[in-house]
Structure formats: structure tokens, C-alpha cells
Amino acid sequence: MTTFMASLRTTLAGYINYRGREGHYSFLLHRLTGLGTLLFLTIHIVDTATVYWMPELYDHAIALYRLPIFMIGEMGLVFSVIFHGVNGLRIIYQDMVKPSSWSIHTQRRAARVTLVVSILIWLPAAYIMARSLLAHL
Amino acid sequence: MTTATTSARANVKPTPTYETIAWKWMRYSGVLLIPLVWIHVLIQDVLVGVHAIDLNYVVERWANIGWQIYDILLLAFTFAHGMNGLRQVAFDFFQTDKARRNLSWILFIGWLVISFIGAAAILGAAAKHLA
């Protein structure tokens, strides 16, 4: 347990103190959006499965998702799914298509472009979802 | 290999192990997940919205074999990609072989159980409610 705590501290300190600028932030954002999406996905598989296993519970699950706080969370989820996908494409391109073109300069620019593209894709979706949120307040 | 340079290193192909296959799997499944997940999110979260979704909506969707196949693929690929991603993140925090092996088994069993719960619902719900 003490070795685990030590390794936890070292790893977390590395996550926070590493000074890799754009690369560091896109690494952290990729992990956070991935873990956040997985957390929701796990809950979502189980709550949707109640349609078959315990149909009387499904309306309660949906009622929760209709709360304003969950609808705001849903907008964050949509951003996570978009960013994780666009950034994933950047990683795949760099790892599998053009590994020889790697340089700090192009990677920093690619990380910034990735974030801008993700936000641009997210904005129209966020607009439609925000409109729905306001209509159901 | 004692005098490996950057250019020599770039040409070394690692012998495939479980971890190199898992590494490639994340990239191949990632490409597939972009249309699969984005279309699902666009339809259900953005265009339909949670206020239009209820038990009937889900049952009617799963009465269609096309959506059943779509959702089975979605379940299989998203959850496997996500659980392997969690395994890779967790390996940063668990560094002994024993801890990593135990963790991998726990995640594998969790993946299997939840995948079964979801797959049974996709395949069985329409038959149960529309019978």
C-alpha cells in the first residue's frame, strides 16, 4: 500500500508538473475526456439495459437525465466525445501514417488546431442542446 | 543495437505482444468509433434529445434489426476501447506485474459482465415488450 501511494504521488506529480505545454495539456485532456466518457458509458449501458431487465426503472433513469444539471453535463459529454475523437485522429495520423514528420513545432500547432476544430464542431451541437435546455426549464 | 541512432530506431519493428496488439487496437477501433459514436450522439443527444426518449422509443428502435446491429457494434467497440483505455491509464498508477495482472483481470471480468447485460437488452427487449 505504501509503494502504491508512492507511485500514485509520483505519477500524479508528473501529470501536474510536467512542462510540455500543448502536448501536456492535450495528453491530460485526452485522458480526462476518455475517462469521463467511459464513466458515463458504463452508467448508460446499465440504465439503458433496464429496458429489458427492469422496465419499471427506465422512466426514473430518464427523469434524471432530463434534470437541467444533467443536460449541462450532457453538453460536456458531447464536447468530450468530439475532442477525444478529433485528438485521437491526430494521434493516429502521427503514430501510423506520418511518424517521420514528428516535430515539437508541428505537434504544438496540431494540438492547438485540434482544440479549435473540436470547439467549432461542438458549437452548433451545444447551441441546439442549450435551446432544448432553455425550452424545458 | 548498441549504437542505435534515431534513424535506426525508427526502422525497428517490435515483435507483436499482447500490448502492441492492444496499442494498435486502440487506433483501429478509434477510427471506427468516430462515425459510430458521433452519429449516435448526433441523433440521440442533439437531434432527438432526452425529452423525446422513453421506454417506447427504445423498444421501437430495437424492433429494427438494423439498429440492433448498430447498437451491438457500438456497445462492443466503445466499451472495449474505453475499458482498455482505463487499463492503460491505470498502468501509470499500478507498476508491479502482479498488480497489473490482477487489475487487467478485474477490468476484463467487469467488461464481460456489463457487455453481456447490454447485449442481452439490445437483443431481447423488443421481443419481450412487443410479444
Side-chain angles (χ1 to χ4, degrees), chain B residues 57-127:
Chain B
Y57 176 85
V58 181
V59 171
E60 272 168 31
R61 235 174 123 261
W62 283 342
N64 179 321
I65 180 111
W67 285 122
Q68 278 182 307
I69 295 170
Y70 192 98
D71 284 0
I72 285 284
L73 289 174
L74 195 62
L75 172 68
F77 282 94
T78 49
F79 202 44
H81 182 100
M83 287 300 253
N84 191 54
L86 174 61
R87 202 178 63 93
Q88 288 178 353
V89 174
F91 275 17
D92 273 8
F93 297 92
F94 295 86
Q95 281 145 358
T96 64
D97 283 347
K98 185 167 172 270
R100 288 182 172 184
R101 212 169 29 244
N102 291 341
L103 188 85
S104 297
W105 273 109
I106 291 167
L107 292 177
F108 176 72
I109 292 165
W111 171 73
L112 213 59
V113 169
I114 293 177
S115 292
F116 170 77
I117 291 171
I122 295 169
L123 299 176

Side-chain angles (χ1 to χ4, degrees), chain A residues 4 7-8 11 15 31 38 45 48 51-53 58 62 65-66 71 74 81 85 89 92 95-96 128 136, chain B residues 23 27 34 37-38 45-46 50-51 53 58 62 75 79 82 92-95 117 120-121 124-125 128-129:
Chain A
F4 173 71
S7 115
L8 182 79
T11 306
Y15 274 26
R31 294 215 144 175
L38 177 65
I45 293 168
T48 309
V51 168
Y52 174 71
W53 298 97
Y58 189 69
I62 284 293
Y65 288 136
R66 288 177 180 169
M71 291 183 77
E74 191 186 17
V81 166
L89 279 182
I92 291 163
D95 278 357
M96 307 194 83
I128 295 170
H136 289 99
Chain B
W23 184 90
R27 276 130 188 96
I34 289 182
V37 173
W38 284 14
D45 293 80
V46 181
V50 72
H51 286 272
I53 294 174
V58 181
W62 283 342
L75 172 68
F79 202 44
D92 273 8
F93 297 92
F94 295 86
Q95 281 145 358
I117 291 171
K128 181 174 180 171
H129 289 281

Side-chain angles (χ1 to χ4, degrees), chain B residues 13-25 87:
Chain B
K13 285 238 191 272
T15 358
T17 62
Y18 179 78
E19 291 305 332
T20 49
I21 294 166
W23 184 90
K24 281 194 176 165
W25 152 261
R87 202 178 63 93

